[in-house]
Amino acid sequence: MMNTRCIHPAPVASFLFLLAWLVLFTTGCAKQDQDVVFSSKENVLHLFNWNNYIAPETIGRFEKSCNCKLSQDYYSDNEEMLAKLSAGATGYDLIIPTGNAMDTLIRQGALKPLDKSLLPNLGNINPAYLDTPFDPGNKYSVPYAYTLTLLGFNQEKIKSLGLPTDTWAVIFEPKYLEKIKGRVTVLDSQRELMAAALKYLGYSVNDTDEKHWKEAANLIVRAKPYWAAFSNTSYIKELAVGNLWVAQGYSNDMFQAALDARNTGRKFTIGYSTPKEGAVLALDSMVLHRSGSRPDLAHQFINFMLEGKNSAELTNLIGSGNPNMDAIQYIQAEIANNGAIFPAPEMLNHLEMLRDLDRKQRRVLSRLWTEIKLR
Amino acid sequence: MSRTNIWLWSAAGVIYAFLYVPLVIVVLYSFNDSKLNAEWVGFTLSWYKTLFQNTEMLTAARNSLIIALSASFSATLLGTMAGLAIHRYKLKVLPILVFTPVAMPEILLGVSLLLFFLQVLNLTLGMVSIIIAHTTFCIGFVAIIVRARLQGMDESIFEAARDLGASPWQTFRLVTLPLIMPAVVAGALMSFTLSIDDFVITFFTKGVGEPILPIHIYTMIKVAVTPEVNAISTLLMLLTLVMIIIAARLESHASSSANATSRETG
């Protein structure tokens, strides 16, 4: 009968172990809850942002200036952010969406209009980036930073092969592609790749004429055998290491690749330039979400970011484009003089923002894309 | 070594290499002296230093650990009960209820839980909502494992215990639980792993202002994944390894004491 009372050490030990955790967790939770209750009374600004899209020193200075705390949540994709907000997530004062996502937010009535009397620094923004088709008159949005879709390349290699670097022809024309076969990648994105092809053919990136799309698709199919891959992220590393010679990609990424190639003492340099035919410009803007409880702090933040010194820090950190005219003086000379990050005024007319397609157009494009991928 | 044996060993070697080489590379590259981490540049410990100064990343790791431990604990408790019940009674509805979250696409689960929390429960999203969500999809996994273990068992053991005068609770405590312990531990570990690296459901059910590790890492991909991510992954791997060792210890302990019990009672 002894053994009916004998206690098994294993289950008991594990139960105790888990119980200890439960206690720890509930105390943790209680503390957490207190924090939450407490924070609504406290000065906290909730920002829903891309990761690494504001310099740490900027955050520190803003927190000092407003005597509040900046708390960030991140998304990695506009669609992700839209999905979460559409499902009813609340508590975000500020969001930094890209043009077409902002369009959606405005149409859903998810944003609060700006009070421009609280934004005296608004005049610092270059008028070229104001009054976009997404938000006429900037009722809701203030430009934050932008990215261009352009060409990055291994400068020495391209020079030795005698290829041009200022035209989309490098990724579409077989006469150039022959020399760099298997050393080129393009973006794995229907819209971005089609936009480059449409631009090269002399059309708008938002052209929806099916005949023109067909032409663009044929151009892509003809060039495809020469490309190494469709790549959205890996091209950064491959360029920096020297495996790739030409890539279609985003200006921020090219900046990172160039920086890394330089810091690790490579024997080549990574250059990047905006093709003369024109390119896609993606503008991220600051907007106020309807559910935010601190519009006062949100306006304070926007006005703070409109000071040149503050917005320059992000450009110096990740090489993003800066729509702020006052910021130029604080930006490192080599970035400020880089035509691929700060396009010349005549180039600005060739840059376009992608608009959303309607359902029927999306279907047509998806079908074309499938054909392209299968060929 | 016969010929078949050599083949078997080399096949096993290839499969294990396929599983473990990536992990070894992750660990190695946490010591790499390059921000972009594209190829090996030189040895440095600076990423660990950066990590320990990065309060946001550490808070995210702490939150993820608290969530994983709480969710795996409650899922193990409930999942074990569910597994026992499904095995013992011929129920129609319960198995469907328990196993559905396992088969459901994550994005559906995430969005529907978010709607449920906000519209029905009127809950403020936070750690609690994530723990409830994670528990929900882990219960099914635990129940499946526990039920599978029970199905392979001889019912007469439990009948014998009752014949010898054990109350239902004693039967459970002294016979059933020690016998299913390996499955319970396996279920707990599985829940822990599922919870700590879940992105989709966590993204939807998290509130504002609490960093959670998988989301933090995933959103870094957009800009640049620094070796800091490798560093924190390495530390988490170490922790997981320790947990697995403890679980293995417990299991061998449980089985040996269970054997002892059956010998003594037998």
Side-chain angles (χ1 to χ4, degrees):
Chain A
M1 277 289 84
M2 269 295 286
N3 48 32
T4 45
R5 259 187 241 109
C6 106
I7 293 182
H8 282 282
V12 170
S14 47
F15 262 103
L16 283 176
F17 171 75
L18 289 167
L19 211 66
W21 266 109
L22 188 71
V23 169
L24 211 139
F25 144 69
T26 42
T27 51
C29 252
K31 213 172 103 314
Q32 287 271 351
D33 283 348
Q34 255 173 13
D35 283 349
V36 173
V37 172
F38 200 50
S39 69
S40 60
K41 292 192 197 98
E42 255 192 58
N43 277 332
V44 180
L45 174 66
H46 288 289
L47 171 62
F48 204 17
N49 193 4
W50 305 88
N51 200 328
N52 196 17
Y53 212 41
I54 177 170
E57 59 268 34
T58 317
I59 299 176
R61 276 209 318 282
F62 172 70
E63 289 183 332
K64 262 206 195 69
S65 80
C66 71
N67 195 10
C68 64
K69 202 178 155 318
L70 177 71
S71 151
Q72 292 194 82
D73 287 275
Y74 305 111
Y75 52 89
S76 60
D77 191 86
N78 281 305
E79 281 65 33
E80 227 170 71
M81 175 262 298
L82 289 175
K84 182 155 186 185
L85 293 173
S86 311
T90 54
Y92 301 108
D93 297 301
L94 266 175
I95 313 169
I96 307 192
T98 312
N100 45 2
M102 185 170 83
D103 213 7
T104 311
L105 287 168
I106 293 173
R107 270 185 288 119
Q108 290 173 341
L111 303 181
K112 278 187 191 143
L114 297 168
D115 177 352
K116 288 185 186 159
S117 67
L118 300 171
L119 306 173
N121 296 334
L122 204 50
N124 290 344
I125 296 287
N126 181 341
Y129 299 99
L130 291 172
D131 207 19
T132 62
F134 300 115
D135 182 17
N138 286 72
K139 205 175 145 195
Y140 299 99
S141 69
V142 174
Y144 181 81
Y146 61 84
T147 314
L148 300 177
T149 312
L150 37 65
L151 286 173
F153 46 86
N154 186 318
Q155 241 157 338
E156 286 70 12
K157 204 78 211 171
I158 293 301
K159 200 175 275 173
S160 69
L161 293 169
L163 297 179
T165 55
D166 62 342
T167 165
W168 289 118
V170 179
I171 60 167
F172 290 127
E173 288 298 342
K175 66 173 181 195
Y176 297 132
L177 286 166
E178 274 163 8
K179 300 181 178 170
I180 47 175
K181 188 175 185 205
R183 300 288 194 160
V184 194
T185 62
V186 292
L187 286 169
D188 190 7
S189 149
Q190 304 178 11
R191 293 299 306 275
E192 291 281 12
L193 187 56
M194 280 300 268
L198 287 166
K199 270 291 186 202
Y200 180 57
L201 294 168
Y203 305 124
S204 154
V205 302
N206 293 313
D207 195 323
T208 49
D209 185 334
E210 275 190 51
K211 249 200 354 263
H212 297 167
W213 277 7
K214 199 83 200 123
E215 271 180 73
N218 289 338
L219 189 69
I220 292 169
V221 168
R222 191 182 63 174
K224 195 184 153 196
Y226 298 95
W227 297 336
F230 293 90
S231 152
N232 276 344
T233 45
S234 58
Y235 69 87
I236 312 170
K237 287 182 182 182
E238 298 297 337
L239 260 179
V241 175
N243 295 338
L244 275 183
W245 298 342
V246 179
Q248 180 201 16
Y250 301 107
S251 51
N252 299 358
D253 293 345
M254 297 306 176
F255 175 85
Q256 294 290 343
L259 202 65
D260 188 77
R262 202 174 54 200
N263 290 347
T264 46
R266 305 251 172 236
K267 293 190 176 50
F268 51 83
T269 41
I270 302 299
Y272 43 106
S273 67
T274 318
K276 58 174 185 268
E277 297 89 3
V280 170
L281 176 134
L283 180 66
D284 292 323
S285 306
M286 299 176 270
V287 296
L288 270 69
H289 191 246
R290 202 182 44 203
S291 73
S293 55
R294 297 302 304 266
D296 54 323
L297 286 179
H299 279 91
Q300 220 175 325
F301 177 84
I302 294 175
N303 200 47
F304 178 88
M305 288 313 290
L306 283 170
E307 282 173 37
K309 186 164 179 278
N310 302 326
S311 80
E313 280 170 344
L314 177 69
T315 302
N316 288 331
L317 182 72
I318 65 168
S320 56
N322 200 318
N324 193 316
M325 296 181 295
D326 184 45
I328 303 291
Q329 53 184 319
Y330 303 102
I331 290 169
Q332 292 160 15
E334 58 171 323
I335 301 176
N337 299 328
N338 186 331
I341 298 179
F342 290 97
E346 63 272 14
M347 188 72 215
L348 275 174
N349 307 326
H350 296 291
L351 299 175
E352 292 184 90
M353 302 183 199
L354 287 172
R355 305 293 312 263
D356 274 349
L357 299 171
D358 64 33
R359 192 165 302 175
K360 183 173 163 287
Q361 293 160 343
R362 268 206 294 267
R363 260 207 309 275
V364 175
L365 185 60
S366 289
R367 215 179 29 241
L368 275 177
W369 188 247
T370 312
E371 277 175 37
I372 288 168
K373 287 266 180 147
L374 291 174
R375 288 282 270 285
Chain B
M1 271 274 252
S2 68
R3 187 175 297 219
T4 359
N5 246 349
I6 292 170
W7 276 111
L8 282 173
W9 276 110
S10 47
V14 168
I15 289 165
Y16 276 113
F18 181 78
L19 288 172
Y20 284 97
V21 169
L23 295 179
V24 172
I25 288 172
V26 166
V27 173
L28 278 181
Y29 270 63
S30 69
F31 300 107
N32 189 14
D33 197 2
S34 145
K35 192 174 173 191
L36 199 59
N37 223 2
E39 60 178 13
W40 186 258
V41 178
F43 181 88
T44 177
L45 282 172
S46 66
W47 294 110
Y48 286 88
K49 212 174 90 197
T50 329
L51 175 66
F52 283 113
Q53 285 158 350
N54 185 341
T55 45
E56 200 173 18
M57 185 88 104
L58 290 177
T59 313
R62 196 203 62 186
N63 286 345
S64 280
L65 277 175
I66 291 174
I67 291 164
L69 282 156
S70 323
S72 56
F73 172 73
S74 30
T76 307
L77 209 65
L78 296 165
T80 306
M81 290 181 195
L84 279 166
I86 291 170
H87 175 73
R88 183 128 336 146
Y89 311 103
K90 299 286 163 271
L91 300 160
K92 286 242 162 23
V93 186
L94 187 69
I96 298 170
L97 280 181
V98 170
F99 299 146
T100 305
V102 174
M104 210 151 123
E106 281 206 337
I107 189 125
L108 279 179
L109 208 57
V111 175
S112 55
L113 280 164
L114 173 63
L115 289 170
F116 177 68
F117 289 149
L118 291 174
Q119 321 280 345
V120 183
L121 296 185
N122 216 342
L123 187 81
T124 316
L125 297 179
M127 295 283 267
V128 180
S129 62
I130 303 177
I131 289 166
I132 296 172
H134 282 201
T135 307
T136 311
F137 75 83
C138 288
I139 287 176
F141 287 97
V142 179
I144 288 175
I145 298 171
V146 169
R147 191 181 69 155
R149 170 98 183 163
L150 283 164
Q151 273 172 331
M153 263 185 216
D154 188 353
E155 286 297 314
S156 57
I157 299 173
F158 310 117
E159 285 160 17
R162 281 198 291 276
D163 283 345
L164 293 165
S167 66
W169 171 240
Q170 277 176 318
T171 311
F172 174 74
R173 200 169 55 89
L174 298 172
V175 183
T176 318
L177 188 59
L179 283 172
I180 60 167
M181 204 61 199
V184 173
V185 171
L189 280 175
M190 185 138 175
S191 309
F192 182 86
T193 315
L194 284 169
S195 164
I196 208 155
D197 67 11
D198 178 84
F199 171 80
V200 180
I201 294 171
T202 314
F203 178 83
F204 283 104
T205 52
K206 80 187 275 290
V208 289
E210 287 150 345
I212 310 287
L213 196 62
I215 290 167
H216 200 74
I217 291 174
Y218 190 80
T219 53
M220 282 173 94
I221 294 171
K222 184 87 189 169
V223 188
V225 180
T226 58
E228 234 177 317
V229 175
N230 298 52
I232 194 128
S233 309
T234 305
L235 295 179
L236 279 175
M237 265 186 241
L238 273 175
L239 185 89
T240 318
L241 200 68
V242 168
M243 282 183 57
I244 289 172
I245 290 168
I246 291 174
R249 274 274 167 85
L250 280 177
E251 210 172 301
S252 63
H253 213 104
S255 57
S256 65
S257 62
N259 288 339
T261 316
S262 52
R263 267 201 305 282
E264 281 168 37
T265 43

